[in-house]
Amino acid sequence: MKTKFFIKHLSMFLLPLLIPLIILGALSILITQNYIKEDINKSSINLLKQTKENIELILSETDPMSLVYGNDQRIIEALASTMRNSSLTHEEIISYTILKSFLSAPANARPYIDSFYIYLPNDNGRFISSKEGLTDFNAYYDTQWYQQFIKKDQHINMWIEPRLVKPFSFESQPTRIVTIYQRISSVNGLIVLNILPEYIEKVLKSLSTLPEQSILVVNENNEIIFSDKQPNYLNDLNLNLETIYKSEEAFYTAKIDNESYIVSQLNSARYGWKYISVVPQRALYQVPFTIIKFTILLLLVSFVLGFVLAFYFARSRYKQISNVIHILDSAESGHPLPPLPDRVKDEFGYIIQNIVKTFIEQSFLKVQLSERRYKLQVAQLTALQSQINPHFLFNTLETLNWETIALTGRPNQVTKIIDNLSEILRYSLTNPEEPVSLNTEIKNLKSYIEIQKYRYEDKFDIIWEYDPVVIGCRVMKLLLQPFVENSIYHGIKEKEGNSLIKIRIELVGPDVLIAIVDNGLGMSRERLRKIRHDFERDDEFSDRIGMINTNKRIKLAYGEQYGIVIRSKKGWGTAVYMKLPMV
């Protein structure tokens, strides 16, 4: 038994610990595998958009140059004259100096600009460089751009290519630059912007966030213009850039040399480039592997912790449960019970204490139970009697009605009163807790009013105001009768002359508002204050018990925000306002 008890407690400790960990680990791996690609796609697209904005902002440096040197005819003529003439006049020197300063300003101010060239067709082979000023092809180290310009189709106004230049012959390694060609269409000239890719690649490195991610900018000739880094896998990937470039999918998986890569790409409409993000798929599994390691570690720690706790609590609780079983056996066999513990240390001490108290108080509880059974029988007899008396009265009234018709030979005022009274009793006794429509409640109230008008010899008149739409609302039975009765007995009976009772029912928003107004004697302030005080009390000892009970029924049925409000003034009359929900 001890072994089973220990195994049970061990499972109670381990299952709540191990199952959530296993589920959490499995869900984490599944979620990571299923959704990490989508997260990478969103992250990569946002990264590529930011890269595109930054790079194209840099490349737009040729736009103001194109506007100035390509559209202003005076500037074009001044540049052409400078390049065409072997000797410059004073005015041409001034113009050249101004244009040279304007050309050199962006190159000096922007760290990513290597140089600007402006070329207009001339027989001397001259052009203007932001570094050297006015120079010619024979004296300048960089003339490759001119060869590309000659070969290029004249219908192409802008193109970009990576190049290698050596400003100085003693340099062992050439300098990498990216050249932007902007054609001056009006004179078939050219604006050349040379950009240092190292600066842009530093920006790309700062933007890259995923492990082993590479950001590439590829032109229409399948050449890498910019890249943030050169990982080992990129050497193999360069051979397959044409396949990637031809793909129109924004997000896909490319398999190259048995290696899978997640590729995201964004097109540039202006330059015809593609901004490409490449992430090896193996990088996706670093997080799942880490989760698996931590899950296994936590499982081992949880198992050891659960084993130790289960052993400790199983031994302690087995001893306590044995003590409880001993007390129960002693009570059943009639042996003396052990004394109550001095203080409760745990739940088992609480159980022992209550078991002993239960046996001590058992006799008293039996007596109490017998007394409650007796009271219940008395209440049932009283309820049965209260049902018999109203039904007896209703049946007696029916008998009187038929006897009166038999004696007089026809219906008369007495039979009419008996009919109304019978209708009231039938209405009150049939399903008293079931809600009825306002139309039914009004019909019952009219029977009551007919009896009272006959009794008081038409001392009052009733004015009805209600919308036919409202009378379909369902309300509790005998809602209106106590207030009309109160108006008659306390406001109209003692007043000289005829009186009026007005009953208005209207729908205001989601609520039904009922007003019962009379022009009887009214009440003094003290009397009104006492009635309002009775409305707030929990007991029902009042001479206006009908109104108090109705108010309590409304609040119990619909909530505290609904109920009755009474206003009255001595000599003017009384108004009762009821607020009910539209049902």
Side-chain angles (χ1 to χ4, degrees):
M1 182 176 178
K2 289 184 180 181
T3 304
K4 292 182 179 180
F5 194 76
F6 171 72
I7 294 174
K8 179 180 178 181
H9 276 73
L10 182 61
S11 62
M12 289 174 60
F13 276 101
L14 289 182
L15 290 179
L17 289 173
L18 299 183
I19 291 178
L21 286 175
I22 295 173
I23 294 175
L24 178 61
L27 287 177
S28 300
I29 295 171
L30 290 175
I31 290 172
T32 302
Q33 291 178 342
N34 291 334
Y35 296 104
I36 199 167
K37 286 187 178 181
E38 183 179 352
D39 294 337
I40 287 178
N41 182 33
K42 292 179 180 179
S43 175
S44 298
I45 291 299
N46 292 332
L47 178 62
L48 293 178
K49 287 180 180 179
Q50 188 176 0
T51 303
K52 178 176 176 291
E53 292 174 359
N54 292 336
I55 292 179
E56 295 191 0
L57 180 63
I58 293 173
L59 299 181
S60 64
E61 291 290 343
T62 59
D63 293 341
M65 292 293 176
S66 176
L67 291 174
V68 173
Y69 295 102
N71 296 326
D72 194 322
Q73 194 63 33
R74 292 178 301 176
I75 294 178
I76 293 175
E77 291 177 358
L79 287 172
S81 176
T82 302
M83 297 178 191
R84 185 173 55 248
N85 298 329
S86 57
S87 60
L88 302 179
T89 64
H90 179 69
E91 292 180 354
E92 289 175 338
I93 292 174
I94 294 175
S95 299
Y96 161 72
T97 304
I98 295 173
L99 295 174
K100 170 66 169 55
S101 299
F102 183 75
L103 182 66
S104 301
N108 296 329
R110 310 273 196 297
Y112 50 83
I113 296 179
D114 177 75
S115 58
F116 267 113
Y117 305 152
I118 295 181
Y119 170 77
L120 297 176
N122 63 90
D123 297 333
N124 300 322
R126 290 181 174 181
F127 66 96
I128 298 177
S129 168
S130 60
K131 289 184 176 181
E132 300 293 337
L134 184 63
T135 184
D136 57 60
F137 297 129
N138 296 326
Y140 201 68
Y141 65 92
D142 182 17
T143 59
Q144 182 188 8
W145 59 270
Y146 180 72
Q147 303 301 326
Q148 296 295 331
F149 170 63
I150 296 299
K151 297 177 184 177
K152 206 68 175 179
D153 188 350
Q154 292 186 1
H155 295 92
I156 300 176
N157 293 325
M158 174 182 282
W159 68 97
I160 302 172
E161 64 179 6
R163 297 193 301 125
L164 297 174
V165 296
K166 291 182 67 174
F168 305 101
S169 59
F170 58 81
E171 289 182 347
S172 58
Q173 295 293 334
T175 302
R176 292 170 52 233
I177 62 172
V178 174
T179 302
I180 304 171
Y181 299 86
Q182 179 72 46
R183 191 185 297 274
I184 304 175
S185 302
S186 59
V187 293
N188 195 26
L190 185 66
I191 298 174
V192 178
L193 171 62
N194 295 317
I195 294 178
L196 296 173
E198 289 84 358
Y199 179 86
I200 296 178
E201 289 171 352
K202 287 181 181 178
V203 175
L204 296 181
K205 290 178 181 179
S206 65
L207 296 176
S208 180
T209 55
L210 298 174
E212 298 189 55
Q213 182 182 28
S214 292
I215 301 174
L216 311 175
V217 182
V218 182
N219 66 4
E220 67 278 6
N221 296 324
N222 199 30
E223 297 174 319
I224 296 178
I225 305 297
F226 305 108
S227 65
D228 62 336
K229 51 181 170 286
Q230 296 288 333
N232 295 329
Y233 68 82
L234 198 57
N235 296 327
D236 299 330
L237 196 61
N238 286 340
L239 303 176
N240 297 272
L241 277 177
E242 185 176 357
T243 304
I244 295 176
Y245 190 85
K246 289 181 179 180
S247 175
E248 297 298 330
E249 298 182 21
F251 180 75
Y252 60 96
T253 301
K255 194 165 187 179
I256 302 171
D257 296 335
N258 298 324
E259 181 76 23
S260 296
Y261 301 90
I262 297 176
V263 181
S264 302
Q265 58 184 8
L266 184 67
N267 294 324
S268 173
R270 179 175 182 183
Y271 300 106
W273 291 358
K274 282 195 175 183
Y275 296 84
I276 302 173
S277 168
V278 183
V279 182
Q281 196 170 27
R282 64 175 181 272
L284 302 181
Y285 297 101
Q286 294 179 359
V287 175
F289 286 154
T290 304
I291 294 175
I292 292 174
K293 291 178 183 178
F294 276 106
T295 302
I296 295 174
L297 179 61
L298 288 175
L299 287 173
L300 292 175
V301 172
S302 300
F303 181 81
V304 174
L305 180 62
F307 186 88
V308 173
L309 291 176
F311 179 79
Y312 172 76
F313 284 106
R315 186 178 63 177
S316 175
R317 291 189 176 184
Y318 184 81
K319 182 179 180 181
Q320 292 169 330
I321 290 175
S322 299
N323 191 18
V324 172
I325 294 174
H326 173 70
I327 293 174
L328 293 175
D329 292 339
S330 299
E332 289 180 359
S333 60
H335 296 157
L337 298 177
L340 291 175
D342 297 333
R343 59 172 182 165
V344 177
K345 297 180 180 179
D346 52 20
E347 65 273 13
F348 287 97
Y350 177 79
I351 291 172
I352 293 172
Q353 188 181 58
N354 279 273
I355 288 175
V356 175
K357 285 185 178 180
T358 300
F359 281 107
I360 293 174
E361 297 171 355
Q362 186 175 12
S363 299
F364 174 73
L365 292 176
K366 288 182 180 179
V367 174
Q368 253 191 342
L369 181 60
S370 299
E371 184 179 353
R372 288 185 180 180
R373 287 177 179 173
Y374 171 75
K375 288 182 178 180
L376 180 60
Q377 291 176 354
V378 173
Q380 290 175 344
L381 290 174
T382 304
L384 182 60
Q385 185 179 6
S386 66
Q387 291 180 354
I388 293 174
N389 291 337
H391 282 284
F392 173 74
L393 178 59
F394 171 72
N395 293 330
T396 303
L397 286 174
E398 288 292 323
T399 303
L400 286 176
N401 186 32
W402 289 108
E403 288 295 331
T404 302
I405 293 176
L407 290 174
T408 59
R410 58 185 177 84
N412 52 51
Q413 190 66 34
V414 176
T415 59
K416 186 177 180 181
I417 293 174
I418 293 175
D419 281 339
N420 287 329
L421 185 56
S422 298
E423 288 296 327
I424 293 173
L425 283 175
R426 182 185 291 109
Y427 179 75
S428 304
L429 295 174
T430 305
N431 298 326
E433 299 300 326
E434 181 181 357
V436 297
S437 66
L438 261 175
N439 189 35
T440 305
E441 177 70 10
I442 291 172
K443 182 179 178 182
N444 175 73
L445 182 60
K446 287 181 177 179
S447 299
Y448 172 78
I449 291 173
E450 287 296 324
I451 296 175
Q452 294 292 21
K453 291 188 73 172
Y454 178 79
R455 180 181 177 187
Y456 291 101
E457 299 179 352
D458 294 327
K459 190 176 177 63
F460 63 92
D461 290 319
I462 299 291
I463 300 175
W464 293 91
E465 287 186 6
Y466 53 84
D467 190 340
V469 177
V470 183
I471 61 176
C473 174
R474 301 188 68 80
V475 297
M476 59 183 65
K477 282 188 175 182
L478 299 177
L479 180 68
L480 306 176
Q481 184 260 334
F483 301 99
V484 175
E485 179 181 358
N486 190 70
S487 295
I488 296 172
Y489 281 100
H490 296 281
I492 295 174
K493 183 176 68 172
E494 303 298 332
K495 181 183 176 182
E496 296 181 0
N498 291 333
S499 301
L500 289 175
I501 299 176
K502 182 177 180 180
I503 302 175
R504 184 178 72 250
I505 306 173
E506 59 183 342
L507 180 64
V508 179
D511 299 325
V512 176
L513 301 183
I514 302 175
I516 302 174
V517 184
D518 67 69
N519 61 349
L521 296 176
M523 291 181 281
S524 62
R525 291 185 179 179
E526 292 76 11
R527 183 65 175 164
L528 182 62
R529 189 182 302 111
K530 183 179 182 304
I531 292 175
R532 290 175 176 173
H533 176 69
D534 291 341
F535 269 43
E536 298 175 357
R537 293 169 57 187
D538 293 333
D539 55 61
E540 299 179 354
F541 295 101
S542 172
D543 56 353
R544 298 180 185 253
I545 188 172
M547 291 195 305
I548 294 174
N549 286 341
T550 303
N551 185 55
K552 289 182 177 179
R553 289 168 62 202
I554 291 174
K555 290 186 177 296
L556 287 173
Y558 307 121
E560 290 296 327
Q561 67 270 33
Y562 299 100
I564 298 170
V565 176
I566 298 180
R567 295 189 176 93
S568 183
K569 187 175 182 181
K570 188 71 173 177
W572 288 79
T574 302
V576 177
Y577 301 97
M578 277 182 281
K579 180 181 177 182
L580 307 172
M582 179 66 178
V583 181

